């Protein structure tokens, strides 16, 4: 609920007050804040692509997601969520990574999220390549203990190394596993697909107790029943949601670095996120938007909408919606 120390102004700048091509460049044209102090939730960018292995450009992802977020309005017409009536929310800017040193950057990210979490704000992260989720999970584990994980992606991202390096966007969940950040019986990977090097590309997680739902299992289906099962299995365990935009089929999200055909649809993506309502979400991210390959801005627009949907399923927003039904 709204913190008594938070600023009173807590609404996105409306399209009837300022044209959508004007105004602040924050997420949803929300107030900017220097820190997460007094906030219940915050948007934070990590402009990074030094962990990417194919097409670069995700360093520009946070800025473009913010640009496309000008179309968003405060009330969710589908779910009835009114997150800004339930929470104090602001955009706290970007993490100042070391763009020449990935190893230093992951420590910078963890330290930044240690501070956010110490202020009891729930971070919603605009990526940035998927490397960033590992240092965030390190901070989450320090705050909450090992967390449940819902990971939507075309790729498992459990490589032991890439080009001899242990830190890259294909390794974050192997590193999080090794660091004890995860409750392994409550890890769910959804949308994995494409070609690989061996069955272990997906089976490594299964061998460690994770639930892996490949994209082919999702074709032609509503994913609402799957999310009901996941909610039951996770219960009230603190859970982190990480959403790689390449989980969507390239028809919907071409602006990313490692496209794979046969992916999820946008409406399935919405079902997954809306299906997280009722879970004890402690953080979320949306990663791998690469504006140089997103000429029409569609991928960033999808990313902005999915981040808004994440805000709408945070516990305080859900409690407020249910109270006002």
């Amino acid at each position: 609920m709204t913190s008594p120390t938070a600023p009173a102004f807590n609404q996105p700048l409306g399209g009837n007050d300022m044209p959508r091509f004007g105004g602040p460049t924050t997420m949803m044209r929300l107030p900017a804040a220097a820190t997460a102090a007094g906030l219940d939730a915050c948007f934070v960018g990590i402009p990074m692509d030094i962990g990417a292995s194919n097409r670069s450009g995700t360093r520009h992802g946070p800025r473009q997601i913010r640009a496309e977020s000008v179309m968003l309005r405060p009330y969710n017409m589908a779910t009835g969520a009114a997150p800004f009536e339930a929470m104090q929310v602001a955009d706290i800017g970007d993490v100042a990574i070391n763009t020449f040193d990935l190893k230093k950057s992951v420590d910078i990210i963890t330290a930044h999220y240690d501070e956010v979490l110490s202020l009891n704000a729930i971070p919603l992260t605009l990526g940035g390549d998927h490397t960033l989720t590992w240092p965030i999970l390190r901070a989450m584990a320090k705050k909450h203990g090992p967390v449940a994980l819902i990971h939507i992606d075309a790729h498992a991202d459990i490589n032991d190394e890439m080009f001899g390096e242990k830190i890259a966007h294909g390794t974050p969940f192997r590193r999080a596993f090794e660091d004890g950040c995860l409750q392994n019986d409550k890890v769910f990977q959804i949308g994995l697909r494409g070609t690989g090097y061996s069955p272990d590309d997906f089976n490594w997680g299964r061998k460690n107790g994770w639930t892996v739902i490949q994209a082919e299992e999702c074709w032609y289906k509503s994913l609402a029943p799957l999310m009901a099962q996941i909610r039951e299995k996770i219960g009230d365990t603190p859970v982190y949601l990480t959403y790689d935009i390449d989980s969507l089929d390239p028809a919907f999200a071409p602006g990313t670095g490692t496209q794979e055909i046969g992916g999820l649809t946008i409406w399935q993506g919405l079902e997954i996120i809306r299906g997280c309502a009722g879970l004890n979400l402690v953080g979320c991210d949306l990663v791998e938007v690469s504006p140089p390959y997103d000429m029409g801005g569609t991928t960033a627009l999808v990313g902005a909408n999915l981040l808004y949907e994440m805000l709408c399923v945070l516990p305080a927003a859900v409690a407020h919606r249910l109270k006002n039904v």
Side-chain angles (χ1 to χ4, degrees), residues 2 29 33 42 89 98 109 123 218 229 245 247 262 279 289 305 324:
T2 301
R29 303 196 297 181
C42 57
V89 187
N98 183 328
I109 293 166
C218 303
Q229 295 171 12
I245 203 73
S247 63
L279 291 173
V289 171
N305 276 268
N324 289 282

Side-chain angles (χ1 to χ4, degrees), residues 151-153 189-193 212-227 230 247 262-265 267-269 271-272:
H151 169 207
I152 306 97
D153 204 325
Q189 295 187 305
I190 305 171
L192 307 192
R193 63 188 190 276
V212 177
I213 301 104
Q214 293 179 220
E216 289 81 359
E217 300 174 61
C218 303
W219 290 356
Y220 319 117
K221 294 179 183 177
S222 166
L223 298 187
L226 170 65
M227 293 309 299
I230 290 174
S247 63
L264 303 178
T265 65
W267 34 100
Q268 287 176 319
E271 286 181 319
I272 291 170

Side-chain angles (χ1 to χ4, degrees), residues 155-313:
H155 312 96
D157 292 351
I158 48 81
N159 293 335
D160 186 36
E161 59 182 40
M162 299 183 75
F163 295 96
E165 297 292 335
K166 294 286 190 178
I167 303 173
H169 74 161
T171 70
F173 302 106
R174 176 73 70 106
R175 302 288 86 84
F177 168 82
E178 293 169 346
D179 285 345
C181 298
L182 306 174
Q183 292 200 24
N184 292 307
D185 62 335
K186 296 179 180 179
V187 173
F188 300 88
Q189 295 187 305
I190 305 171
L192 307 192
R193 63 188 190 276
T195 54
Y197 295 101
S198 79
D200 257 5
D201 287 4
F202 295 168
N203 287 341
W204 183 89
R206 292 182 173 116
K207 291 175 182 177
N208 285 291
W210 302 2
T211 300
V212 177
I213 301 104
Q214 293 179 220
E216 289 81 359
E217 300 174 61
C218 303
W219 290 356
Y220 319 117
K221 294 179 183 177
S222 166
L223 298 187
L226 170 65
M227 293 309 299
Q229 295 171 12
I230 290 174
R231 287 196 305 274
E232 183 176 356
K233 291 179 180 178
I234 291 178
D236 60 1
T237 301
V239 55
Y240 189 85
L241 172 64
T242 179
Y243 200 111
D244 189 324
I245 203 73
D246 72 23
S247 63
L248 298 174
D249 190 86
F252 302 103
T256 191
T258 49
Q259 300 180 90
E260 304 282 0
I261 66 166
L264 303 178
T265 65
I266 286 177
W267 34 100
Q268 287 176 319
L270 290 170
E271 286 181 319
I272 291 170
I273 296 174
R274 291 174 182 175
C276 291
L279 291 173
N280 181 17
L281 282 167
V282 294
C284 309
D285 65 50
L286 186 290
V287 300
E288 298 285 356
V289 171
S290 181
Y293 298 95
D294 190 32
M295 294 300 104
T298 301
T299 310
L301 176 67
V302 173
N305 276 268
L306 295 181
L307 281 159
Y308 169 72
E309 292 285 342
M310 293 174 191
L311 181 69
C312 290
V313 294

Side-chain angles (χ1 to χ4, degrees), residues 42-92:
C42 57
F43 291 103
V44 53
I46 303 182
M48 181 172 82
D49 59 13
I50 47 176
S53 60
N54 188 36
R55 302 195 304 197
S56 61
T58 55
R59 66 180 62 191
H60 303 292
R63 181 168 291 181
Q64 192 62 36
I65 290 168
R66 289 180 173 112
E68 297 298 338
S69 75
V70 300
M71 287 302 300
L72 292 167
R73 302 165 184 87
Y75 181 75
N76 191 317
M77 301 298 293
T79 68
F84 303 105
E85 295 179 13
M87 298 179 288
Q88 282 289 338
V89 187
D91 187 326
I92 64 169

